[in-house]
mmCIF file of all heavy atoms in Angstrom:
data_model
loop_
_atom_site.group_PDB
_atom_site.id
_atom_site.type_symbol
_atom_site.label_atom_id
_atom_site.label_comp_id
_atom_site.label_asym_id
_atom_site.label_seq_id
_atom_site.Cartn_x
_atom_site.Cartn_y
_atom_site.Cartn_z
ATOM 1 N N LEU A 1317 30.369 39.355 19.231
ATOM 2 C CA LEU A 1317 30.716 38.423 18.153
ATOM 3 C C LEU A 1317 29.767 37.249 18.135
ATOM 4 O O LEU A 1317 29.307 36.830 17.091
ATOM 5 C CB LEU A 1317 32.149 37.927 18.361
ATOM 6 C CG LEU A 1317 33.235 38.729 17.649
ATOM 7 C CD1 LEU A 1317 34.610 38.133 17.998
ATOM 8 C CD2 LEU A 1317 32.976 38.682 16.128
ATOM 9 N N ALA A 1326 21.234 32.475 11.708
ATOM 10 C CA ALA A 1326 19.781 32.497 11.597
ATOM 11 C C ALA A 1326 19.351 32.917 10.185
ATOM 12 O O ALA A 1326 18.353 32.446 9.675
ATOM 13 C CB ALA A 1326 19.174 33.429 12.613
ATOM 14 N N PHE A 1332 11.038 29.795 11.093
ATOM 15 C CA PHE A 1332 10.175 28.763 11.646
ATOM 16 C C PHE A 1332 8.702 29.089 11.308
ATOM 17 O O PHE A 1332 8.379 30.227 11.055
ATOM 18 C CB PHE A 1332 10.316 28.701 13.160
ATOM 19 C CG PHE A 1332 11.631 28.136 13.612
ATOM 20 C CD1 PHE A 1332 12.475 28.890 14.403
ATOM 21 C CD2 PHE A 1332 12.028 26.882 13.217
ATOM 22 C CE1 PHE A 1332 13.688 28.389 14.807
ATOM 23 C CE2 PHE A 1332 13.242 26.353 13.627
ATOM 24 C CZ PHE A 1332 14.086 27.138 14.412
ATOM 25 N N ARG A 1337 -0.007 30.753 12.371
ATOM 26 C CA ARG A 1337 -0.399 30.061 11.162
ATOM 27 C C ARG A 1337 -1.233 28.819 11.512
ATOM 28 O O ARG A 1337 -0.822 28.027 12.352
ATOM 29 C CB ARG A 1337 0.854 29.614 10.377
ATOM 30 C CG ARG A 1337 0.578 28.903 9.098
ATOM 31 C CD ARG A 1337 0.487 29.825 7.899
ATOM 32 N NE ARG A 1337 1.741 30.366 7.521
ATOM 33 C CZ ARG A 1337 1.939 31.617 7.129
ATOM 34 N NH1 ARG A 1337 0.923 32.450 7.065
ATOM 35 N NH2 ARG A 1337 3.127 32.034 6.809
ATOM 36 N N LYS A 1346 6.101 16.332 -1.051
ATOM 37 C CA LYS A 1346 6.619 16.570 -2.441
ATOM 38 C C LYS A 1346 8.040 16.083 -2.591
ATOM 39 O O LYS A 1346 8.478 15.888 -3.719
ATOM 40 C CB LYS A 1346 6.502 18.061 -2.734
ATOM 41 C CG LYS A 1346 5.059 18.503 -2.766
ATOM 42 C CD LYS A 1346 4.916 19.775 -3.532
ATOM 43 C CE LYS A 1346 3.473 20.032 -3.905
ATOM 44 N NZ LYS A 1346 3.351 21.268 -4.644
ATOM 45 N N ASN A 1350 16.471 11.431 3.783
ATOM 46 C CA ASN A 1350 16.958 11.020 5.085
ATOM 47 C C ASN A 1350 18.491 10.975 5.046
ATOM 48 O O ASN A 1350 19.100 11.087 3.984
ATOM 49 C CB ASN A 1350 16.393 9.645 5.483
ATOM 50 C CG ASN A 1350 16.807 8.565 4.536
ATOM 51 O OD1 ASN A 1350 18.017 8.325 4.351
ATOM 52 N ND2 ASN A 1350 15.855 7.895 3.924
ATOM 53 N N THR A 1355 21.945 2.011 0.967
ATOM 54 C CA THR A 1355 21.833 2.133 -0.510
ATOM 55 C C THR A 1355 20.566 1.473 -1.077
ATOM 56 O O THR A 1355 20.022 1.876 -2.066
ATOM 57 C CB THR A 1355 23.081 1.565 -1.188
ATOM 58 O OG1 THR A 1355 23.477 0.416 -0.515
ATOM 59 C CG2 THR A 1355 24.183 2.584 -1.261
ATOM 60 N N LYS A 1364 2.749 9.855 -3.606
ATOM 61 C CA LYS A 1364 2.462 11.117 -2.937
ATOM 62 C C LYS A 1364 1.256 10.890 -2.047
ATOM 63 O O LYS A 1364 0.158 10.687 -2.529
ATOM 64 C CB LYS A 1364 2.058 12.141 -4.019
ATOM 65 C CG LYS A 1364 2.919 13.369 -4.059
ATOM 66 C CD LYS A 1364 2.543 14.208 -5.233
ATOM 67 C CE LYS A 1364 3.791 14.710 -5.905
ATOM 68 N NZ LYS A 1364 3.519 15.295 -7.206
ATOM 69 N N MET A 1377 -1.045 19.948 16.997
ATOM 70 C CA MET A 1377 -1.650 19.544 15.717
ATOM 71 C C MET A 1377 -1.902 18.058 15.723
ATOM 72 O O MET A 1377 -1.071 17.281 16.210
ATOM 73 C CB MET A 1377 -0.738 19.867 14.538
ATOM 74 C CG MET A 1377 -0.597 21.329 14.284
ATOM 75 S SD MET A 1377 0.244 21.602 12.713
ATOM 76 C CE MET A 1377 1.848 22.023 13.284
ATOM 77 N N CYS A 1389 -4.034 -0.303 2.486
ATOM 78 C CA CYS A 1389 -4.124 1.103 2.785
ATOM 79 C C CYS A 1389 -4.068 1.266 4.297
ATOM 80 O O CYS A 1389 -4.870 0.716 5.033
ATOM 81 C CB CYS A 1389 -5.439 1.658 2.239
ATOM 82 S SG CYS A 1389 -5.413 3.412 2.089
ATOM 83 N N LEU A 1392 -2.428 6.320 9.719
ATOM 84 C CA LEU A 1392 -1.715 6.569 10.949
ATOM 85 C C LEU A 1392 -2.127 7.932 11.471
ATOM 86 O O LEU A 1392 -2.143 8.888 10.747
ATOM 87 C CB LEU A 1392 -0.212 6.647 10.653
ATOM 88 C CG LEU A 1392 0.666 5.447 10.811
ATOM 89 C CD1 LEU A 1392 2.107 5.821 10.548
ATOM 90 C CD2 LEU A 1392 0.517 4.808 12.178
ATOM 91 N N LEU A 1404 9.102 24.159 17.074
ATOM 92 C CA LEU A 1404 9.396 22.759 17.464
ATOM 93 C C LEU A 1404 8.192 22.005 18.005
ATOM 94 O O LEU A 1404 7.435 22.496 18.840
ATOM 95 C CB LEU A 1404 10.554 22.753 18.485
ATOM 96 C CG LEU A 1404 11.139 21.388 18.864
ATOM 97 C CD1 LEU A 1404 11.681 20.626 17.662
ATOM 98 C CD2 LEU A 1404 12.249 21.501 19.907
ATOM 99 N N LYS A 1406 6.845 17.782 19.223
ATOM 100 C CA LYS A 1406 7.291 16.433 19.479
ATOM 101 C C LYS A 1406 6.110 15.496 19.273
ATOM 102 O O LYS A 1406 4.942 15.900 19.439
ATOM 103 C CB LYS A 1406 7.908 16.272 20.864
ATOM 104 C CG LYS A 1406 6.901 16.462 21.998
ATOM 105 C CD LYS A 1406 7.564 16.135 23.340
ATOM 106 C CE LYS A 1406 6.511 16.302 24.422
ATOM 107 N NZ LYS A 1406 7.027 16.021 25.757
ATOM 108 N N ILE A 1416 9.258 22.808 12.142
ATOM 109 C CA ILE A 1416 8.537 23.175 10.891
ATOM 110 C C ILE A 1416 9.059 24.545 10.422
ATOM 111 O O ILE A 1416 9.082 25.503 11.229
ATOM 112 C CB ILE A 1416 7.016 23.204 11.098
ATOM 113 C CG1 ILE A 1416 6.525 21.848 11.621
ATOM 114 C CG2 ILE A 1416 6.319 23.564 9.765
ATOM 115 C CD1 ILE A 1416 5.024 21.725 11.781
ATOM 116 N N LEU A 1422 4.765 30.138 -1.636
ATOM 117 C CA LEU A 1422 3.415 30.074 -1.036
ATOM 118 C C LEU A 1422 2.969 28.603 -0.787
ATOM 119 O O LEU A 1422 3.123 27.733 -1.643
ATOM 120 C CB LEU A 1422 2.392 30.734 -1.994
ATOM 121 C CG LEU A 1422 0.967 30.814 -1.462
ATOM 122 C CD1 LEU A 1422 0.889 31.820 -0.320
ATOM 123 C CD2 LEU A 1422 0.004 31.187 -2.566
ATOM 124 N N ASP A 1435 19.057 2.300 19.049
ATOM 125 C CA ASP A 1435 20.509 2.347 18.886
ATOM 126 C C ASP A 1435 20.997 3.543 18.064
ATOM 127 O O ASP A 1435 21.867 3.410 17.236
ATOM 128 C CB ASP A 1435 21.028 1.037 18.305
ATOM 129 C CG ASP A 1435 20.284 0.703 17.015
ATOM 130 O OD1 ASP A 1435 19.347 1.423 16.664
ATOM 131 O OD2 ASP A 1435 20.695 -0.271 16.356
ATOM 132 N N LYS A 1437 20.084 7.667 16.189
ATOM 133 C CA LYS A 1437 19.032 8.502 15.663
ATOM 134 C C LYS A 1437 19.366 8.828 14.213
ATOM 135 O O LYS A 1437 20.505 8.741 13.778
ATOM 136 C CB LYS A 1437 18.857 9.747 16.497
ATOM 137 C CG LYS A 1437 20.112 10.589 16.647
ATOM 138 C CD LYS A 1437 19.818 11.733 17.604
ATOM 139 C CE LYS A 1437 21.084 12.476 17.916
ATOM 140 N NZ LYS A 1437 20.876 13.505 18.969
ATOM 141 N N LEU A 1443 9.447 17.940 2.236
ATOM 142 C CA LEU A 1443 8.882 19.133 1.614
ATOM 143 C C LEU A 1443 7.391 18.869 1.516
ATOM 144 O O LEU A 1443 6.960 17.866 0.976
ATOM 145 C CB LEU A 1443 9.495 19.334 0.219
ATOM 146 C CG LEU A 1443 8.828 20.452 -0.640
ATOM 147 C CD1 LEU A 1443 9.002 21.819 -0.004
ATOM 148 C CD2 LEU A 1443 9.448 20.417 -2.048
ATOM 149 N N ALA A 1454 10.009 25.573 -5.107
ATOM 150 C CA ALA A 1454 9.952 24.986 -3.792
ATOM 151 C C ALA A 1454 10.996 23.869 -3.668
ATOM 152 O O ALA A 1454 11.691 23.749 -2.659
ATOM 153 C CB ALA A 1454 8.563 24.449 -3.507
ATOM 154 N N GLU A 1457 14.441 25.388 -3.279
ATOM 155 C CA GLU A 1457 14.616 25.904 -1.916
ATOM 156 C C GLU A 1457 14.837 24.758 -0.931
ATOM 157 O O GLU A 1457 15.629 24.843 0.005
ATOM 158 C CB GLU A 1457 13.376 26.727 -1.439
ATOM 159 C CG GLU A 1457 13.190 28.010 -2.225
ATOM 160 C CD GLU A 1457 14.250 29.072 -1.892
ATOM 161 O OE1 GLU A 1457 14.926 28.941 -0.876
ATOM 162 O OE2 GLU A 1457 14.366 30.022 -2.701
ATOM 163 N N ILE A 1462 18.374 21.285 2.556
ATOM 164 C CA ILE A 1462 18.936 19.965 2.963
ATOM 165 C C ILE A 1462 20.460 19.954 2.815
ATOM 166 O O ILE A 1462 21.115 19.266 3.552
ATOM 167 C CB ILE A 1462 18.283 18.759 2.229
ATOM 168 C CG1 ILE A 1462 18.589 18.777 0.776
ATOM 169 C CG2 ILE A 1462 16.779 18.735 2.490
ATOM 170 C CD1 ILE A 1462 18.284 17.445 0.127
ATOM 171 N N GLY A 1466 23.223 19.161 5.745
ATOM 172 C CA GLY A 1466 24.159 18.052 5.539
ATOM 173 C C GLY A 1466 23.549 16.730 5.092
ATOM 174 O O GLY A 1466 24.187 15.704 5.275
ATOM 175 N N ALA A 1489 -16.975 2.251 9.007
ATOM 176 C CA ALA A 1489 -17.559 3.193 9.950
ATOM 177 C C ALA A 1489 -18.784 3.909 9.363
ATOM 178 O O ALA A 1489 -18.977 3.970 8.191
ATOM 179 C CB ALA A 1489 -16.532 4.244 10.380
#
Side-chain angles (χ1 to χ4, degrees):
L1317 267 178
F1332 290 121
R1337 181 90 71 220
K1346 295 200 164 181
N1350 63 57
T1355 39
K1364 238 174 223 167
M1377 291 191 256
C1389 200
L1392 267 184
L1404 188 58
K1406 67 173 183 181
I1416 303 182
L1422 185 70
D1435 54 354
K1437 58 186 172 186
L1443 172 64
E1457 293 290 342
I1462 67 164

